[in-house]
Amino acid sequence: EVQLVQSRAEVKKPGESLKISCKGSEYSFTNYYIGWVRQMPGKGLEWMGIIYPGDSDTRYSPAFQGQVTLSADKSINTAYLQWSSLRASDTAMYYCARLRAQGDFDYWGQGTLVTVSS
Amino acid sequence: EIVMTQSPATLSVSPGERATLSCRASQSISSNLAWYQQKPGQAPRLLIYGASTRATGIPARFSGSGSGTEFTLTISSLQSEDFAVYYCQQSHNWLLITFGQGTRLEIK
């Protein structure tokens, strides 16, 4: 069965850097975009961007352009979301999900909770 | 940016009754619409794609309809496990995917 397994929860201080991961299995990882979605506490879903592990083609939501970096290592079927300098407002649950050609996200990771607090 | 607006924000329905959730796009998105269900502490789950096609394993009581700018998710006979938050998502523009703000379906 297709699985996306995300890295564990993180607690960081403002200004610190962070890279979280999403490892895919049981499907051809290089043939599907991986999307990242933010969910702030008690709020809805926000699309951050997508990356195609096959060639690292990346598209960002304007709201997140310049704020985060998406990357992927196809040799280990893993996508990444990283911040160079965290803010308290980055506190949220972050999900990765597989994007199908139909434009929907059919498989989701379990989520990584990022808490940024001094 | 295509803005997705869901209504109502909260819907109170009794078990066994029908629930109708709406999603409106700020411009035509053809049938490029998906619906997701999210329960507390869980990742979203794909219910409907292409506006009206049920995803694998989704019960027949869930149905989607609409095209262009107006879309509906109908749950024909609510079960206890259906009370959750529902989101619509457009993929008409892959460069700027957007979600609706969600409808919370609660027990009446």
Side-chain angles (χ1 to χ4, degrees), chain A residues 33 37 39 42-47 50 59-62 95 99-106 108-111, chain B residues 32 34 36 38 41-46 48-50 55 87 89-91 94-101 104:
Chain A
Y33 278 89
V37 175
Q39 188 167 40
K43 302 299 184 182
L45 305 174
E46 301 174 270
W47 176 73
I50 53 176
R59 312 298 173 101
Y60 292 94
S61 162
Y95 294 102
L99 181 65
R100 300 196 303 175
Q102 294 91 329
D104 54 80
F105 295 103
D106 63 340
W108 293 67
Q110 82 278 17
Chain B
N32 299 310
Y36 301 85
Q38 187 180 33
Q42 296 184 17
R45 177 175 71 146
L46 177 66
I48 301 285
Y49 64 93
Y87 295 95
Q89 172 240 318
Q90 67 81 18
S91 58
W94 268 43
L95 299 180
L96 193 47
I97 292 170
T98 48
F99 290 92
Q101 80 279 19
R104 180 177 304 277

Side-chain angles (χ1 to χ4, degrees), chain A residues 12-71:
Chain A
K12 292 289 190 179
K13 290 181 166 46
E16 291 185 332
S17 62
L18 176 65
K19 192 174 188 177
I20 63 175
S21 66
C22 170
K23 183 175 178 62
S25 62
E26 300 304 320
Y27 77 97
S28 180
F29 188 72
T30 55
N31 287 354
Y32 291 84
Y33 278 89
I34 290 288
W36 288 91
V37 175
R38 182 175 78 175
Q39 188 167 40
M40 300 178 76
K43 302 299 184 182
L45 305 174
E46 301 174 270
W47 176 73
M48 302 176 71
I50 53 176
I51 184 165
Y52 191 73
D55 61 8
S56 291
D57 177 51
T58 307
R59 312 298 173 101
Y60 292 94
S61 162
F64 292 93
Q65 178 85 46
Q67 308 304 309
V68 298
T69 301
L70 305 186
S71 60

Side-chain angles (χ1 to χ4, degrees), chain A residues 75-101:
Chain A
S75 69
I76 55 171
N77 289 359
T78 302
Y80 301 97
L81 169 63
Q82 69 180 88
W83 295 260
S84 59
S85 180
L86 286 160
R87 309 171 184 175
S89 58
D90 292 318
T91 294
M93 181 71 80
Y94 293 88
Y95 294 102
C96 66
R98 188 177 80 163
L99 181 65
R100 300 196 303 175

